[in-house]
Amino acid sequence: MLSYRHSFHAGNHADVLKHLVLMLIIESLQQKDKGFYYLDTHAGTGHYQLTSSQSEKTGEYKEGIARLWDKTDLPSELARYVKLIQRLNGSKTLRYYAGSPLIAATLLRPQDRALLTELHPTDFPLLRHNFSQFANVKVKRENGFQQLKSTLPPKERRGLILIDPPYELKQDYEWVVDAIEEGYKRFATGIYAIWYPVVLRQQTKRMINGLRQTGINKILQIELAVAPDNQQRGMTASGMIVINPPWQLESQIKQLLPYLVNCLVPTGTGHWTVDWLVGE
Ligand code: SAM
């Protein structure tokens, strides 16, 4: 059962946090000339039209990327992220939003390469079409979790694995932990970035405890909440768990989050946290 379509959510506050962290990690990897492997296990389509009926139905991007769009006082990292989206739009009007594969592909150098996997029968052909012109990007209609077993370690011995499931199936929370164990066994020096929503805090906590119990060190948790936890339907917060984060990431994101929360949550109900789930 695959009912989730990212087009309803593209450019929302969770995408902003996820894609900012993604950009910062790629920039760090690119401080060295040697190429790296980027695996995007749950790719979506990569390109979203914000005027589509799906986007307009939820209007989520209006409380996400749209809140940063006209800002003139953005910290430099956020300015670089917004510029990526502006380049895609080609004008001052916000019409399009880039998914994680397009953000990454736009940043990749010739020596870097990417594998994108997506299972949705409608979204996969869109993904394939959107990346047909990128020489160093491969797309596959396969289960993303399995790629950690079948494609790691990469020949470059440097890599970033983004795991961004929809969590529409409760098993996704467990599959993330299983996939990380499989991947880490093969490629312990890789950077693993896991996106998670906070819908019911207990579900998120269970996954985090599972990650703690793997025995893996250096796990950083970054979270941005737009509202306090509650028991009703809907996402109140989202976060990124990063295994083996680049050394600058913690301080970069700690400097950016106060600005980001103020900007994305003008009602004042937001907050952020950055914590080591497991240290060195
Ligand atoms: N990473 C994308 C981005 O940031 O732009 C968004 C991805 S969206 C949250 C999750 C996607 O995973 C959906 O398009 C869904 O069809 C796909 N999906 C669900 N289960 C999958 C699986 N086991 N393997 C690959 N893709 C899957």
Side-chain angles (χ1 to χ4, degrees), residues 69 74 78-89:
W69 192 247
L74 292 170
L78 271 167
R80 289 202 294 282
Y81 156 69
V82 172
K83 199 158 222 142
L84 281 174
I85 310 300
Q86 284 172 343
R87 241 184 272 146
L88 171 72
N89 278 272

Side-chain angles (χ1 to χ4, degrees), residues 2 4 6 18-19 41-44 99-100 118-120 143-144 164 166:
L2 283 168
Y4 180 95
H6 196 63
K18 178 193 358 173
H19 296 153
T41 59
H42 294 69
S100 52
E118 170 57 52
L119 277 181
H120 197 283
N143 187 327
D164 181 19

